[in-house]
Structures are given as C-alpha cells and as structure tokens.
Amino acid sequence: MKCLNWLIIISTKANKASSHMKSRLKELNDALDSGAFIQARHMLNHTLKPAHTAHLLESSPPREREVLWNLINPELEGEVLQHLSDEIQAEFVNQMNTEELLQATENLDTDDFADILQQLPKKVLQEVLNSLRQQDRERVEQVLSYPEDTAGGLMNTDVVSIRPDLTIDAVLRYLRRHDTIPEMTDNLFVVTRKDSYIGLLPLTRLLVSDPNTLISDVMDTEREAIPADLDETDVANLFERNDWVSAPVINQEGRLVGRITIDDVVDVIREEADHSLMRMAGLDEDEDTFAPVFKTAKRRAVWLGINLLTALLASMVIGLFQDTIEKVVALAILMPIVASMGGIAGSQALTLVIRGQALGHVEHSNIGYLLNREVIVGALNGLLWASVVASIASWWFSDFTIGFIIAIAMVINLVVAAICGTSLPVILKAMNIDPALAGGVILTTITDVVGFCAFLGLATLFYSQGI
C-alpha cells in the first residue's frame, strides 16, 4: 500500500512538472509569435533548462528553429547541443567556427564533447583538436579512438581513482581538496600505481567506515570492469541486470580509462528503441521530425524504390500466366503495386508522427506543418515512381492507356496515404487509442481500398466500351 502511495505521489509530481513545462513552452511560443524577442531570449537563457530548450528546438519547424538558436547565449550553446539529436546537432555544429565551438563546449564532459565532434568533417575535427590543451586533447582523442557504439565511445574520462594502501581518512581529505567531484559519482575506483583496475569503493561504505581502515580492507573486488570494446547494447544490458549507476571501463591491458554512467545508458536504450521503430519503415532513427520537404522526400524515395522492386516481382510472377488471361486480368496483375506503394508511404508518415508523439515533439500547434509537408512529399514521390511504373506497364502490355491509369492511381493513393499516415495518430490519440497498436491496421485498410478503387475505377472509365 505504501509503495502504491509513493507511485501516486511520483506520478502526480511528474504530471505537474510536465504541465508546468508545457505552460513555459506555450509562453515562449506566444512571445515569439508576438515579436517579443527580448522576453523570449530571457526565457531561453534564464528560465528554461538546456534540455527543455533542446526539446523546443526539435519541436520547431526549420525557420522557427533558426530564430530560437540565434537567441541562445553562446555560453549555453554547448549545453543545448548535447541534448539534440545527431541530425539537428550536426546542423548547428557545422555552422560554427572553431573558436565558437570551443567556447560553447568548454564545460562539457569529455564524452559529450566527443559526441559533438563526431558531427564535424575530419579536417575541421582535426583543427578543433589542435586548438585544445594537450591534456584535454589526449582525453578526447582517447574517447574518439573507440567506435561510437562501444563502451569506449560512451565513457567519460573524468573519474576519481584511489590507491588500495590509503586509509579512509586520507581519501576523505583528498576529496575535500576538490571544489566538486564528477556528477553521478557513486563509487571511487581503486587502481594500482600503473592504473590497473582492481576494485571499487562505494561512497556509502566510505562514509560509514572507520577513518583508520585501509581501502584494501573495505573495497569491492567482485565488481568486474567493462571492456572498452564491448558493444553498447551489451553495456545497457549489464546496467539493466545489475541496477548500476556507474561502471568502470578498462582497456585491453586492464588499465582504467574511464567510466560509464546511467544517463549514457538511458541514451543508448532510447536510441535502440528509435532504431527498431524507425527501421521498420525504412527511416533513420535520427530523422528530424520537421526536416525540409526535399530532404525528407529524397530519403524516403530510396525505401519506396526498394518496395517497388518487391511489388513488381509479385506482379511478374502473376504475369507468367498472362498469355491465357484477357485484357481485364492485366489490371489484377498491376493492382498490388498501387496498394503496396500507398501502404509503405503511409507507414513512413505514420511511424514518424507516432515517434514524434512519443518524444513530445508533435503538438496541435505544429501538426499543420507536418500535414502540409507530408502531402507535398507524397505528391513528389507519387509523381516520381508513377512515371517509372507507367513506363514499365506501358512497355509490358504495349498499352499507354494502362500506364496512364496506374500512374494517376498511384499519385492519388500516395497523397491519401500521406494524409492518413499523418492524421491517424492524432485522431487515435484523441480517442484514447494507442496509435502504434491500431494505426498500421487502419492505414493498410485505407490505402488498399483507396488504391483498388482508384485503379479499378479509372480502368472501368477508360475501358468501359471494351468491357
């Protein structure tokens, strides 16, 4: 019962915080709409936290995003950058010169700084590294030397290490000499004089132990360190199974090179979820919800082209028997292409909007922009692939009329699919129905019905005299 009460209290506080945050964001949007840029600048730099500012940037169309970014003070840009998705992060980082980037990121942790640097071209990256102090450059280069999706790529080199022959009192006096210690420090790592990892000392044990006790007598030697080349998914699984807050990272020689904290692992889990969801529709997990029209259309055209090949393959199998089929049955051979292309186009829009809802990017204030963009993207990709299919159909059946019919039907179905894929999650959410659960089924039904009706209806109109 007590546990249930705590859950209710936590849930209530979370809802209040979310409501307060939405109120702040609405206040900022109203200030921007009214042209009160001084008020908006004050809110971005003094009222909102960097993570909230990053959320606002990701939830804004390109033009508004550029205005917001220009209102952020240079000393806060680095804090905001680390919370942005890779694509948007790269967009802003590539606009900055070396001096601006160093100024913005001077207070970031090594791992966050390294993540930002990976968005730069190699030539610019080397220029930035050369501008760092030797000690800072060595730390960053150490992180960059490991693949991004490994423990070494996730780790932060800012750690507190101690020797096993020290006393508790000596360690406490050592810690007090520092103004601060690294965030999320729950353990001190015990190493030899050559920095070889041998165990760790929890802060809770440090605080309650006798001051004259040696570290070697109270340290934990059973906690194994994480190899720097371990895949990030395996790292996340270790944290999940063991309920760790932080963990040491060692190189191949067993020397302590850094630590991974739970905030890094949460990012990995979220990215993995994004990856699984977005790849189902052939999209990049870092896809910008409000990317420009042509950029979005270009990315999706590739997946639509792949789907077209599979649809044509199914039609060709049926077409092996075309010598025994009359002209009307040729329509049945091509019919799956229209439905399939509409289905995949709708799924792309549906998936992106559902993800945007999950991340809190999609609201009533910006759904209009998304709907307009999706209609344009659907029309562009419809015209592109309709011309390809029309050419193939006309050549295949030696009939330009059937090519023209399937082209019109495909454009109609892709535009309808874009509208449905964008609007369905919003409608279903308003009806308290999970869009991820029901959206795909409804969308497939709509695109199939519209595709078949458009194709066969047009065919009936053009071939009515022959039929």
Side-chain angles (χ1 to χ4, degrees):
M1 189 66 181
K2 184 181 290 187
C3 180
L4 179 59
N5 290 336
W6 273 110
L7 286 174
I8 294 173
I9 293 172
I10 292 171
S11 176
T12 303
K13 288 183 176 180
N15 289 334
K16 287 182 179 179
S18 176
S19 177
H20 179 70
M21 186 60 217
K22 287 183 178 179
S23 175
R24 290 287 190 184
L25 293 179
K26 185 179 184 303
E27 186 180 343
L28 178 59
N29 282 322
D30 292 342
L32 289 172
D33 292 339
S34 63
F37 291 108
I38 295 177
Q39 180 186 352
R41 184 189 296 274
H42 178 79
M43 291 188 66
L44 285 170
N45 295 296
H46 301 289
T47 305
L48 296 178
K49 294 181 179 180
H52 297 154
T53 301
H55 175 85
L56 181 63
L57 288 170
E58 291 183 337
S59 304
S60 303
R63 289 184 181 179
E64 288 85 344
R65 183 181 294 164
E66 192 68 31
V67 172
L68 289 170
W69 178 254
N70 290 329
L71 293 176
I72 300 172
N73 290 340
E75 59 269 21
L76 292 177
E77 289 177 346
E79 293 289 336
V80 175
L81 281 172
Q82 67 174 322
H83 295 290
L84 293 172
S85 64
D86 288 348
E87 181 175 338
I88 301 176
Q89 187 183 92
E91 177 185 329
F92 290 127
V93 167
N94 287 321
Q95 296 175 7
M96 305 169 72
N97 58 40
T98 301
E99 184 178 344
E100 291 173 336
L101 185 60
L102 291 176
Q103 180 184 355
T105 57
E106 62 180 348
N107 295 321
L108 295 185
D109 291 337
T110 306
D111 57 335
D112 295 324
F113 183 41
D115 289 340
I116 292 175
L117 290 185
Q118 288 174 342
Q119 309 300 328
L120 296 172
K122 287 186 178 180
K123 184 178 180 181
V124 181
L125 170 60
Q126 193 57 50
E127 188 178 315
V128 173
L129 290 175
N130 292 337
S131 304
L132 298 173
R133 293 177 301 177
Q134 182 177 353
Q135 184 179 11
D136 293 336
R137 182 170 66 250
E138 289 175 353
R139 287 183 174 183
V140 175
E141 286 178 339
Q142 185 177 42
V143 175
L144 291 174
S145 66
Y146 296 101
E148 188 178 2
D149 58 353
T150 62
L154 287 174
M155 72 178 181
N156 184 0
T157 57
D158 191 7
V159 299
V160 179
S161 59
I162 55 177
R163 304 279 188 267
D165 54 354
L166 296 175
T167 63
I168 295 291
D169 182 60
V171 172
L172 289 172
R173 284 188 283 109
Y174 167 71
L175 292 177
R176 292 191 188 103
R177 290 204 300 267
H178 294 77
D179 294 331
T180 60
I181 60 175
E183 291 184 3
M184 297 190 189
T185 298
D186 61 328
N187 297 300
L188 306 181
F189 302 124
V190 186
V191 297
T192 65
R193 294 189 180 277
K194 293 184 178 180
D195 287 331
S196 295
Y197 172 79
I198 54 177
L200 55 79
L201 176 65
L203 287 182
T204 51
R205 193 175 302 174
L206 173 71
L207 295 174
V208 299
S209 297
D210 188 294
N212 297 317
T213 305
L214 290 175
I215 298 300
S216 58
D217 293 334
V218 292
M219 69 179 185
D220 182 358
T221 57
E222 295 183 1
R223 170 82 74 86
E224 294 185 1
I226 297 176
D229 57 357
L230 188 67
D231 185 85
E232 64 179 9
T233 303
D234 296 328
V235 172
N237 290 335
L238 285 173
F239 269 76
E240 181 184 6
R241 288 197 298 267
N242 297 287
D243 294 328
W244 292 341
V245 174
S246 69
V249 179
I250 56 174
N251 61 15
Q252 291 182 341
E253 290 76 34
R255 287 199 293 269
L256 181 70
V257 292
R259 67 178 181 132
I260 295 174
T261 51
I262 187 62
D263 59 321
D264 300 314
V265 175
V266 170
D267 289 340
V268 171
I269 294 172
R270 190 186 70 176
E271 288 169 4
E272 285 290 330
D274 277 353
H275 178 85
S276 300
L277 176 64
M278 300 294 278
R279 286 301 180 189
M280 288 171 60
L283 298 173
D284 192 329
E285 63 265 30
D286 293 317
E287 178 92 10
D288 179 5
T289 308
F290 298 97
V293 168
F294 290 105
K295 191 174 185 180
T296 304
K298 181 181 177 181
R299 287 175 172 172
R300 298 189 192 178
V302 176
W303 187 255
L304 289 171
I306 294 172
N307 182 73
L308 173 60
L309 293 176
T310 60
L312 283 172
L313 180 61
S315 296
M316 290 173 65
V317 172
I318 300 173
L320 294 175
F321 304 94
Q322 67 179 11
D323 291 339
T324 61
I325 299 174
E326 294 181 353
K327 186 68 175 182
V328 174
V329 184
L331 300 174
I333 297 174
L334 296 172
M335 195 166 50
I337 298 177
V338 180
S340 179
M341 292 294 285
I344 192 65
S347 295
Q348 289 178 331
L350 182 78
T351 303
L352 191 67
V353 174
I354 290 176
R355 173 179 176 260
Q357 287 179 328
L359 296 175
H361 295 169
V362 177
E363 303 287 348
H364 289 292
S365 59
N366 53 37
I367 191 63
Y369 171 87
L370 279 180
L371 184 58
N372 291 333
R373 188 196 67 175
E374 292 300 324
V375 170
I376 297 173
V377 170
L380 288 174
N381 276 323
L383 291 171
L384 170 64
W385 295 111
S387 61
V388 174
V389 175
S391 300
I392 295 173
S394 299
W395 168 79
W396 190 351
F397 297 102
S398 301
D399 185 354
F400 289 106
T401 301
I402 200 170
F404 179 73
I405 291 172
I406 195 172
I408 296 177
M410 186 174 292
V411 172
I412 292 172
N413 206 23
L414 261 68
V415 171
V416 171
I419 295 172
C420 294
T422 307
S423 58
L424 266 177
V426 179
I427 296 171
L428 291 173
K429 189 174 182 180
M431 297 171 63
N432 293 322
I433 300 174
D434 185 4
L437 183 63
V441 177
I442 298 174
L443 179 66
T444 301
T445 303
I446 293 173
T447 53
D448 284 350
V449 170
V450 171
F452 294 154
C453 287
F455 187 52
L456 297 178
L458 288 169
T460 301
L461 180 65
F462 278 88
Y463 289 109
S464 57
Q465 295 180 349
I467 295 175

